[in-house]
């Protein structure tokens, strides 16, 4: 009942709602594993957005029940040692690391121009 349609391309979302008093217990529960199994039967792909891995255990718990993990690394903020610690935490729960995404990288002037010229959204990005 909580699943909502988003846009016109068949995307559905399940919002998290308010923060429960015990998120780690909820995410590691058999009810959560059951929910994921039910969703696997109804959807082609399931993407679960989690809080950062290192400060809380929520992401590690849910990654153990997932088919794979994409680690998002913030350019200029996340240190190599933090990435190594995050990968170790995922390995401890037998999570399958599929790869990583480098996020928030600043573009140089030439890159901005090239991106704007190649982007189908260039009319929507004034000021570049």
């Amino acid at each position: 009942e909580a699943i909502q349609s988003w846009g016109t391309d068949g995307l559905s979302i399940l919002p998290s709602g308010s923060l429960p008093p015990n998120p780690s217990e909820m995410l590691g529960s058999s009810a959560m594993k059951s929910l994921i199994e039910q969703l696997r039967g109804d959807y082609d792909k399931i993407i679960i957005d989690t809080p950062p891995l290192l400060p809380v255990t929520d992401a590690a718990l849910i990654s153990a029940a997932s088919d794979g993990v994409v680690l998002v690394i913030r350019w200029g903020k996340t240190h190599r040692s933090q990435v190594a610690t995050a990968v170790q935490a995922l390995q401890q729960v037998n999570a399958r690391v599929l790869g990583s995404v480098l996020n928030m990288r600043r573009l140089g002037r030439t890159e901005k121009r090239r991106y704007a010229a190649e982007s189908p959204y260039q009319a929507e990005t004034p000021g570049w």
Side-chain angles (χ1 to χ4, degrees):
E1 294 174 8
I3 295 174
Q4 302 172 9
S5 295
W6 187 270
T8 59
D9 294 328
L11 180 66
S12 299
I13 62 167
L14 178 58
S16 64
S18 58
L19 184 65
N22 55 351
S24 295
E25 289 177 26
M26 184 185 76
L27 292 172
S29 71
S30 60
M32 181 58 130
K33 289 177 185 151
S34 177
L35 173 63
I36 291 172
E37 286 305 314
Q38 180 183 348
L39 293 173
R40 280 185 175 136
D42 295 338
Y43 294 93
D44 296 330
K45 304 280 185 229
I46 302 169
I47 299 172
I48 302 171
D49 185 21
T50 67
L53 180 63
L54 296 181
V56 291
T57 61
D58 301 357
L61 290 170
I62 201 70
S63 69
S66 302
D67 293 332
V69 175
V70 175
L71 193 60
V72 178
I73 302 164
R74 186 171 179 186
W75 173 266
K77 294 288 183 181
T78 308
H79 299 280
R80 289 181 187 190
S81 62
Q82 292 172 311
V83 174
T85 301
V87 170
Q88 288 173 348
L90 292 169
Q91 288 172 338
Q92 288 176 350
V93 296
N94 295 318
R96 181 175 169 224
V97 179
L98 301 174
S100 61
V101 172
L102 185 60
N103 196 10
M104 305 290 287
R105 181 181 170 272
R106 290 189 179 154
L107 298 178
R109 183 176 289 164
T110 304
E111 291 172 308
K112 286 181 184 178
R113 282 193 210 121
R114 186 178 320 124
Y115 180 78
E118 295 172 1
S119 172
Y121 306 106
Q122 73 183 46
E124 298 177 23
T125 54
W128 281 32

